[in-house]
Amino acid sequence: MLVRFWGTRGSLPVAATATIVQDKVAQALLAASGRSFADLDEARSFARNELDFATSGTFGGATTCVEIEAGDPAAGDPFIICDMGSGLRGFGLDAMRRCSEGHARTYHFFMSHLHWDHIMGFPFFVPAFDPNAHIVIHSGHEDAETALRRQQEEISFPVSFDWLRARIEFVTLKPGETYRIGAVQVEVMEQHHSHSSFGYRFTDASGKVAVFSTDSEHKLEKMEGEADVAHFFREADLVICDTMYSLADSVSMKEDWGHSSNIVAIDLCHGGRAKRLALFHHEPVYSDADIARMHAESMRYEELTREHDPLEVLCAYDGLEVQL
């Protein structure tokens, strides 16, 4: 199983400003401390190997979209995608390339919920205009089709949903049920969020498990009621978890906003004996340095509270690939 992150921000897309880029260049120049480089490749090597990620790279600005690649695409196994944030546009372009090389033109979406940052990429999803494509949209919400059609009404978008050429169908899933899609088994869990959200547990034929759990609020003072979540995360090879806020933000001014913290995610993963956690759904006002700082604090907290095997803590960014 291979997990690709196409969009990792929450709430709305963000882009680096000229000032942010200039600051990164200035920091890189300071770190180079007068060094000269023979060519571009040598300079790239310095950036990749000697600069911290917040200086040499970026966590990105696209909203939620994650691809789960499992099975054998050449044998007809479909694309599996979690959410349709603005990162979906990049996935769609790459998917068209892969389809031209023989990948099946079947797309199974699993929707956490229907808020705009999680569906805004669909009007720009190129395969939706492919008459040979088959798109199946799975959701725990019976009004998923209503939400997607509404954002493409003429007052909001110039291309009507009815102009799309792919064969599109909607499937309503039930929490607690298990479904078979291509090479994976999918379990569904309802979560705490406005208008509800749903988490998904994907298990491939080899037993590898990836959990997608975003836009869910887990309160620190009510963790005794989260045993079902820890069970859903049980022994997962990767848990992609909503860690939008710091603990301080999540228990103060942003309580009841429907999101969780890095601290709570680690506690839940420890409880479920998960192997790896990806911090996800980054707060749009957080800079790359802010996110990197939260990542470092998360790793330290995991180490201090560890009672069993280590939990590897990753920080998701647009373009990250994780092989399970």
Side-chain angles (χ1 to χ4, degrees):
M1 184 185 292
L2 178 65
V3 180
R4 292 189 180 93
F5 292 84
W6 294 94
T8 57
R9 287 277 179 171
S11 296
L12 78 166
V14 294
T17 63
T19 300
I20 290 172
V21 174
Q22 289 164 5
D23 285 345
K24 287 176 180 284
V25 172
Q27 290 167 12
L29 290 172
L30 281 174
S33 189
R35 289 173 57 177
S36 61
F37 303 99
D39 53 31
L40 194 56
D41 286 340
E42 188 174 321
R44 285 196 182 109
S45 177
F46 165 76
R48 290 170 182 161
N49 299 320
E50 299 187 45
L51 296 178
D52 63 280
F53 183 77
T55 300
S56 65
T58 179
F59 291 95
T63 61
T64 307
C65 183
V66 175
E67 178 188 0
I68 308 290
E69 183 179 292
D72 183 2
D77 284 319
F79 291 105
I80 296 174
I81 313 99
C82 297
D83 282 357
M84 303 173 170
S86 63
L88 181 63
R89 179 179 180 275
F91 164 75
L93 294 173
D94 191 69
M96 292 297 287
R97 174 190 62 79
R98 283 185 267 169
C99 287
S100 70
E101 298 172 354
H103 196 297
R105 296 172 185 255
T106 303
Y107 304 81
H108 284 268
F109 285 93
F110 291 86
M111 303 301 300
S112 66
H113 64 310
L114 306 171
H115 289 166
W116 190 37
D117 52 320
H118 294 258
I119 65 172
M120 62 169 55
F122 192 67
F124 303 93
F125 183 51
V126 174
F129 296 88
D130 177 4
N132 296 312
H134 180 203
I135 297 172
V136 185
I137 300 168
H138 304 266
S139 175
H141 301 86
E142 294 183 354
D143 51 358
E145 182 172 0
T146 299
L148 291 180
R149 285 183 171 277
R150 184 174 56 197
Q151 76 169 343
Q152 290 189 234
E153 290 177 355
E154 186 178 8
I155 194 172
S156 301
F157 195 76
V159 180
S160 166
F161 189 92
D162 288 327
W163 289 7
L164 303 177
R165 293 294 172 260
R167 179 161 64 95
I168 302 174
E169 60 179 294
F170 292 83
V171 177
T172 302
L173 306 180
K174 294 182 179 180
E177 297 291 329
T178 300
Y179 302 87
R180 170 66 63 177
I181 305 294
V184 298
Q185 175 180 288
V186 187
E187 300 170 57
V188 188
M189 174 184 67
E190 189 168 5
Q191 304 179 138
H192 310 292
H193 196 71
S194 173
H195 198 61
S196 290
S197 70
F198 295 86
Y200 299 95
R201 180 182 170 95
F202 301 92
T203 306
D204 70 8
S206 69
K208 295 295 184 181
V209 174
V211 173
F212 179 76
S213 175
T214 192
D215 291 68
S216 183
E217 184 166 7
H218 308 287
K219 295 189 177 183
L220 191 64
E221 72 274 14
K222 296 182 179 179
M223 292 299 286
E224 70 278 359
E226 300 285 357
D228 58 332
V229 180
H231 178 72
F232 199 72
F233 291 1
R234 68 194 182 279
E235 299 180 352
D237 296 279
L238 176 66
V239 174
I240 303 163
C241 195
D242 182 339
T243 57
M244 189 168 186
Y245 303 136
S246 67
L247 180 62
D249 281 350
S250 70
V251 300
S252 57
M253 59 184 177
K254 295 178 179 177
E255 186 175 11
D256 297 321
W257 285 25
H259 299 283
S260 289
S261 73
N262 53 332
I263 300 303
V264 168
I266 290 168
D267 288 346
L268 289 169
C269 285
H270 275 167
R273 303 285 294 273
K275 300 178 181 68
R276 190 180 295 157
L277 165 67
L279 308 180
F280 187 72
H281 202 270
H282 307 308
E283 162 66 63
V285 303
Y286 287 178
S287 67
D288 287 318
D290 292 331
I291 296 171
R293 190 179 308 112
M294 179 183 282
H295 184 205
E297 292 169 353
S298 300
M299 290 189 290
R300 180 58 175 155
Y301 177 78
E302 188 282 325
E303 183 181 12
L304 291 172
T305 58
R306 183 188 304 159
E307 295 181 352
H308 303 289
D309 294 335
L311 168 70
E312 182 181 356
V313 181
L314 309 176
C315 197
Y317 59 86
D318 298 2
L320 174 65
E321 294 187 355
V322 180
Q323 181 73 57
L324 304 184

